[in-house]
């Protein structure tokens, strides 16, 4: 099979729709880097006819699976209408249901999994190029931040989660490869790295026989051009405390942590196979706030898990009131076939009760989030400008992560700033917060801090 570089000058067109989490986005960007010399890459939101249409699917929970199926069906209709040549599907959904999906949607020309991109690359008429292993074709190259996947798969066996048998066991990316990718991102203008994995705190155990996240943070912070490093998807059990030292002492590591806790009731945590109890969880949060003053915590909770009665839910609600998480998301329990829960515990909490509990929890969190944002009025904070839209500079401080948190909105004033709007993206400057709601803040420009 010829490599992509040997294909003639008339390049085929390719469009990839990516669903699900940021880890899928990184997979798509790695895939496109491997084939970009053959294909003209059509933006995801561009509906012009293409030779190849790819759907990178999510298969984590019910809503995500439905969204993926709908996207595949819509692409199949485009193929029937002659607007798509070849339709290929890869990612978590097709990894999980590879036996059932081909018969359900015969219009798809190829189904591929989530653990290895090379079969998809071969289906596009190319070979994997090792020299491009750490390269990405970014979906939006103008953004000054990028996700950096440091491991794949998961060795945790949470009772509700399908990820281990979709993505396989935990596999850390060698540090030298992560650093090479980070340097490439920095060279392309990226200022903020967001570290992602199924479990970032597990990084290094399989290849270095130690938790090496803190070491990785230190090495990443030495890369010229990288100004911020943010951590997502941390697991509470055996949390490496040297990571907190990096947050407290390394100015490039954001005082921000995404740590999905899922619950606080001993009974529910035990049924979830989370390997922590409520006391451990409370102590961990106390230690984080003590060792990293001003840290902002984002967490996720599940309501309606088997074993959650009124007592357990009220314990969770009281915990959220006391812990005062600056950011919190929650979702109702969804039974997933193949998981320990599905095979051992009945989905006993009625859907209407789950939704009622979710509303109660999120209403409480709304008050907490609003109070946190309002407490910032009058303070000054350093922000990174992500983009400019209709005269508004959309920014984030170290306390806001893109896509999941709110934003800081600053009016573009060319006379005060002395810059054109095009020159502001990727710049750091100080703002004074003047207004706040539950999600977003408004600020006035103070001075550049580049």
């Amino acid at each position: 099979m010829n490599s992509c570089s040997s294909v003639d000058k008339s390049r085929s067109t390719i469009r990839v729709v990516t669903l699900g989490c940021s880890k899928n986005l990184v997979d798509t960007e790695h895939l496109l880097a491997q084939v970009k010399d053959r294909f003209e890459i059509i933006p995801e939101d561009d509906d012009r006819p293409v030779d190849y249409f790819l759907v990178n699917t999510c298969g984590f929970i019910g809503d995500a699976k439905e969204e993926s199926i709908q996207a595949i069906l819509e692409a199949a209709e485009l193929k029937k209408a002659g607007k798509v040549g070849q339709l290929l599907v890869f990612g978590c959904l097709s990894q999980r249901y590879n036996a059932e999906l081909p018969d359900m949607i015969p219009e798809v020309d190829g189904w591929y999994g989530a653990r290895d991109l090379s079969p998809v690359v071969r289906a596009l008429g190319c070979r994997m190029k090792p020299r491009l292993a750490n390269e990405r074709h970014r979906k939006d190259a103008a953004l000054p931040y990028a996700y950096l996947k440091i491991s794949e798969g998961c060795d945790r066996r949470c009772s509700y989660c399908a990820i281990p048998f979709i993505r396989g066991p935990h596999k850390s990316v060698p540090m030298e490869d992560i650093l090479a990718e980070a340097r490439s991102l920095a060279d392309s203008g990226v200022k903020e790295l967001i570290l992602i994995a199924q479990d970032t705190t597990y990084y290094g155990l399989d290849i270095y026989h130690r938790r090496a996240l803190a070491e990785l943070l230190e090495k990443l912070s030495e890369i010229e051009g990288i100004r911020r490093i943010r951590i997502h998807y941390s697991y509470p059990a055996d949390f490496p405390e040297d990571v907190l030292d990096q947050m407290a002492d390394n100015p490039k590591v954001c005082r921000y942590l995404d740590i999905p806790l899922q619950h606080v009731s001993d009974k529910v945590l035990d049924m979830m196979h989370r390997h922590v109890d409520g006391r451990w969880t409370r102590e961990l949060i106390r230690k984080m706030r003590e060792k990293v003053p001003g840290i902002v915590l984002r967490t996720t909770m599940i309501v309606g898990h088997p074993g959650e009665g009124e007592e357990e839910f009220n314990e969770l609600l009281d915990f959220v009131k006391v812990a005062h998480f600056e950011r919190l998301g929650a979702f109702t329990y969804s039974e997933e076939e193949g998981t320990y829960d599905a095979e051992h515990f009945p989905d006993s909490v009625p859907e209407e009760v789950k939704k009622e509990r979710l509303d109660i929890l999120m209403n409480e969190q709304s008050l907490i989030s609003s109070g946190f944002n309002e407490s910032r009025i009058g303070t000054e904070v350093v922000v990174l400008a992500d983009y400019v839209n209709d005269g508004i500079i959309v920014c984030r401080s170290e306390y806001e992560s893109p896509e999941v948190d709110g934003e800081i909105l600053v009016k573009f004033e060319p006379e005060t700033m002395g810059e054109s709007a095009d020159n502001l993206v990727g710049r750091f400057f100080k703002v004074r917060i003047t207004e706040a709601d539950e999600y977003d803040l408004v600020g006035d420009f103070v001075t550049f801090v580049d």
Side-chain angles (χ1 to χ4, degrees):
M1 182 181 294
N2 293 327
S3 70
C4 292
S5 58
S6 66
V7 178
D8 64 23
K9 294 181 181 179
S10 58
R11 296 192 299 166
S12 301
T13 52
I14 184 172
R15 176 182 168 204
V16 185
V17 170
T18 303
L19 304 169
C21 65
S22 54
K23 295 182 281 291
N24 278 7
L25 173 62
V26 172
D27 288 344
T28 292
E29 292 179 347
H30 277 299
L31 171 69
L32 291 176
Q34 290 287 336
V35 304
K36 64 181 180 181
D37 58 347
R38 171 180 176 180
F39 290 95
E40 178 188 356
I41 299 170
I42 306 302
E44 184 172 320
D45 58 356
D46 190 326
D47 61 359
R48 78 182 83 169
V50 291
D51 298 306
Y52 287 86
F53 191 115
L54 278 64
V55 184
N56 186 355
T57 57
C58 180
F60 181 42
I61 58 175
D63 289 346
K65 289 186 286 187
E66 290 178 13
E67 182 183 20
S68 292
I69 291 292
Q70 185 60 37
I72 298 168
L73 292 174
E74 290 174 1
E77 289 301 314
L78 292 175
K79 184 182 177 185
K80 290 178 184 177
K83 295 182 179 181
V84 168
Q86 294 280 304
L87 174 56
L88 307 179
V89 177
F90 67 110
C92 292
L93 186 79
S94 51
Q95 176 78 43
R96 188 173 182 183
Y97 299 106
N98 60 81
E100 300 93 333
L101 287 171
D103 290 335
M104 291 173 54
I105 314 177
E107 295 85 357
V108 174
D109 297 289
W111 298 89
Y112 306 92
R115 303 180 189 180
D116 183 6
L117 295 176
S118 56
V120 189
V121 171
R122 288 196 298 270
L124 294 170
C126 301
R127 290 196 190 116
M128 291 290 286
K129 301 185 185 72
R131 64 182 174 81
L132 298 178
N134 301 317
E135 298 297 318
R136 307 249 293 269
H137 179 86
R138 294 174 60 209
K139 177 182 177 181
D140 191 340
L143 290 174
Y145 65 85
Y147 298 98
L148 185 61
K149 184 155 63 169
I150 66 173
S151 67
E152 184 56 272
C154 188
D155 286 349
R156 309 287 187 180
R157 292 288 174 174
C158 299
S159 64
Y160 53 83
C161 185
I163 291 296
F165 58 81
I166 296 175
R167 288 281 180 172
H170 175 89
K171 185 178 181 182
S172 298
V173 178
M175 200 171 296
E176 58 269 24
D177 290 340
I178 296 174
L179 295 174
E181 186 169 327
R183 291 188 193 99
S184 175
L185 291 169
D187 289 344
S188 73
V190 168
K191 304 292 178 61
E192 177 180 323
L193 298 174
I194 304 166
L195 306 191
I196 56 173
Q198 266 70 44
D199 175 8
T200 51
T201 56
Y202 212 76
Y203 177 75
L205 276 175
D206 53 326
I207 54 178
Y208 304 122
H209 310 294
R210 68 183 188 280
R211 294 179 184 269
L213 179 58
E215 179 183 347
L216 177 63
L217 290 169
E218 187 169 1
K219 290 183 180 298
L220 287 169
S221 69
E222 295 170 358
I223 295 175
E224 185 176 355
I226 297 302
R227 298 278 298 276
R228 275 188 190 158
I229 307 167
R230 188 182 303 276
I231 306 170
H232 275 208
Y233 311 129
S234 299
Y235 195 89
D238 303 314
F239 185 91
E241 293 189 24
D242 54 357
V243 170
L244 299 180
D245 295 333
Q246 283 289 316
M247 285 186 177
D249 302 330
N250 188 333
K252 289 190 177 182
V253 179
C254 295
R255 291 173 295 169
Y256 174 105
L257 187 67
D258 182 319
I259 180 166
L261 297 174
Q262 313 301 15
H263 219 282
V264 75
S265 158
D266 288 352
K267 176 184 176 182
V268 177
L269 288 170
D270 182 59
M271 295 179 72
M272 286 180 168
H273 297 173
R274 293 289 286 174
H275 307 293
V276 296
D277 58 18
R279 181 179 178 183
W280 168 276
T281 303
R282 291 179 175 88
E283 175 61 19
L284 178 62
I285 299 305
R286 185 200 65 77
K287 190 177 298 182
M288 286 177 172
R289 296 208 184 276
E290 178 183 277
K291 295 194 71 170
V292 188
I295 190 173
V296 163
L297 297 176
R298 161 169 282 283
T299 193
T300 307
M301 300 296 182
I302 299 174
V303 298
H305 186 275
E308 184 192 76
E310 287 296 328
E311 180 180 347
E312 289 75 24
F313 173 71
N314 286 331
E315 183 179 0
L316 171 62
L317 187 61
D318 290 341
F319 170 61
V320 167
K321 292 177 181 178
V322 172
H324 250 74
F325 296 103
E326 289 80 5
R327 324 270 191 229
L328 182 146
F331 56 94
T332 58
Y333 170 74
S334 170
E335 183 178 273
E336 294 298 314
E337 65 270 25
T339 62
Y340 186 93
D341 273 355
E343 295 174 357
H344 294 83
F345 302 135
D347 186 2
S348 55
V349 181
E351 286 301 316
E352 60 270 21
V353 175
K354 292 179 187 177
K355 292 177 181 177
E356 180 183 2
R357 291 176 183 173
L358 179 64
D359 288 343
I360 292 171
L361 180 64
M362 294 313 298
N363 285 338
E364 183 62 40
Q365 180 59 38
S366 176
L367 298 175
I368 296 170
S369 296
S370 296
F372 169 65
N373 278 356
E374 289 168 4
S375 74
R376 300 169 69 186
I377 294 176
T379 64
E380 293 187 355
V381 62
V382 174
V383 300
L384 171 63
D386 283 343
Y387 59 94
V388 181
N389 183 36
D390 290 335
I392 299 296
I393 313 167
V394 180
C395 314
R396 293 174 298 105
S397 74
E398 65 177 310
Y399 302 128
E400 289 85 34
S401 196
E403 302 180 50
V404 293
D405 297 329
E407 298 162 327
I408 299 177
L409 309 177
V410 180
K411 184 178 179 181
F412 173 52
E413 298 175 336
E415 298 83 5
T416 303
M417 296 179 174
E419 294 279 4
S420 68
D422 292 340
N423 290 333
L424 289 175
V425 174
R427 297 287 302 274
F428 287 87
F429 52 90
K430 187 177 291 187
V431 302
R432 182 178 294 107
I433 304 300
T434 58
E435 299 176 36
D437 61 26
E438 179 184 351
Y439 300 105
D440 298 327
L441 301 111
V442 176
D444 290 336
F445 173 80
V446 177
T447 185
F448 287 107
V449 294
D450 288 334

